Amino acid sequence: MELKLNRPICFFDLETTGIDVAKDRIVEISILKVFPNGNKESKTWLVNPTIPIPAFATAVHGITNEKVANEPTFAELAPHVYNMIKDADLAGFNSDRFDIPLLAEELLRAEVDFDMKNRVTVDVQTIFHKKEERTLSAAYRFYCNQSLENAHSAEADTNATYEILKAQLDRYEDLENDMKKLSEFTTRKKSVDFAGFIALNEEGQEIFTFGKHKGALINDVLDKEPGYFGWIQNADFPLYTKKVLTAIKLRKLNTKL
């Protein structure tokens, strides 16, 4: 089943130096852009992360420091990546919890003002886990009846994820071929930032999800303890979390004017 699209959607996958969204870096990125008319565009870049690639990461994806030594940095690639995804929804395998948050950090670090306004995300892993509870290679074998060659290659994983989503739509009649509906189905929780430090309560109000103010309304915390904002801005939180918190504070200030 082909995807019903009202706008382009970018399937993408990252290979990285590790799994810490705030600290780790991209070493490879592959993007497959699918257009509403069925046309496709794909790009894969190796990236110099500007920090050493740990041995445990190389053991997973096979990318060494020597292999990326002469490749462009993400700051150099950021305009090309952003131009490819700026008009598109995003999809991936475990993308809501890892790939999108880390991509956002890299873009913000490169001074590209990335946000998720007016776009949705589809996490193919969530569909798989809700329906079958397995891994990417197993998903590809289960849905597409093929073995995933070159697993942990960004390009192979990206294309496999695209094929899996199409096969999932064929298999599950209750899944709507609509990116907004798929986004809703694959959203695990109502996080406002990618990392999950800021979420929405049942009334749709922003709350903190961690620390001494866990569950507290952010607006109340900003009123009672204004220094908490500065502490977060200076602490080791993801850049996107800081961006979201700043937007909440500015909105609060504007409502008082």
Side-chain angles (χ1 to χ4, degrees):
M1 181 184 294
E2 291 301 322
L3 304 182
K4 293 180 182 178
L5 302 173
N6 295 317
R7 60 182 298 171
I9 185 167
C10 285
F11 292 79
F12 78 103
D13 185 71
L14 308 176
E15 303 302 337
T16 67
T17 59
I19 59 174
D20 187 321
V21 168
K23 295 180 179 179
D24 280 305
R25 301 289 190 269
I26 295 170
V27 298
E28 186 179 30
I29 177 171
S30 185
I31 303 174
L32 172 65
K33 189 171 187 177
V34 183
F35 294 87
N37 64 2
N39 289 345
K40 302 179 184 69
E41 175 187 357
S42 64
K43 296 285 185 181
T44 301
W45 296 277
L46 283 170
V47 185
N48 183 336
T50 71
I51 63 173
I53 303 172
F56 71 82
T58 297
V60 173
H61 49 56
I63 300 172
T64 63
N65 291 298
E66 293 75 19
K67 188 173 182 179
V68 296
N70 296 317
E71 298 295 336
T73 66
F74 190 84
E76 294 171 316
L77 290 172
H80 305 290
V81 173
Y82 182 69
N83 283 336
M84 195 166 182
I85 69 172
K86 65 183 180 180
D87 62 342
D89 295 326
L90 298 177
F93 200 86
N94 195 33
S95 50
D96 281 359
R97 292 192 294 181
F98 181 72
D99 297 86
I100 292 175
L102 200 148
L103 178 62
E105 289 297 294
E106 289 277 41
L107 287 169
L108 291 171
R109 200 176 288 117
E111 299 184 349
V112 175
D113 191 19
F114 173 80
D115 61 44
M116 290 299 296
K117 293 179 180 177
N118 303 316
R119 73 172 89 209
V120 299
T121 68
V122 178
D123 192 330
V124 175
Q125 185 194 60
T126 303
I127 296 175
F128 185 40
H129 283 181
K130 284 187 173 183
K131 297 293 188 179
E132 306 297 341
E133 302 289 335
R134 297 189 185 176
T135 62
L136 177 60
S137 295
Y140 195 54
R141 184 167 58 251
F142 181 85
Y143 289 110
C144 303
N145 196 29
Q146 298 184 57
S147 296
L148 179 55
E149 303 296 335
N150 298 318
H152 295 296
S153 154
E155 184 174 5
D157 290 357
T158 294
N159 285 288
T161 301
Y162 168 60
E163 295 297 332
I164 289 167
L165 179 56
K166 293 194 296 178
Q168 286 172 330
L169 289 167
D170 285 328
R171 178 176 288 268
Y172 305 118
E173 294 181 359
D174 59 321
L175 282 182
E176 292 190 46
N177 193 345
D178 176 271
M179 295 307 109
K180 185 176 181 180
K181 295 292 186 182
L182 289 172
S183 177
E184 292 171 355
F185 185 82
T186 60
T187 298
R188 290 180 171 88
K189 60 181 179 179
K190 296 180 180 179
S191 294
V192 180
D193 67 330
F194 295 127
F197 291 109
I198 300 172
L200 298 178
N201 63 15
E202 292 182 356
E203 288 73 41
Q205 301 167 304
E206 291 106 346
I207 60 172
F208 286 115
T209 64
F210 68 97
K212 64 180 182 179
H213 294 303
K214 183 176 182 179
L217 294 176
I218 290 179
N219 284 336
D220 289 348
V221 174
L222 294 179
D223 281 337
K224 298 174 182 177
E225 191 179 337
Y228 200 63
F229 173 85
W231 173 74
I232 290 177
Q233 295 298 322
N234 292 314
D236 194 20
F237 285 90
L239 295 175
Y240 198 82
T241 299
K242 296 177 182 180
K243 173 184 169 75
V244 169
L245 185 60
T246 299
I248 294 171
K249 182 178 181 180
L250 290 174
R251 185 186 68 208
K252 180 177 176 61
L253 291 174
N254 290 333
T255 58
K256 292 183 177 180
L257 298 179

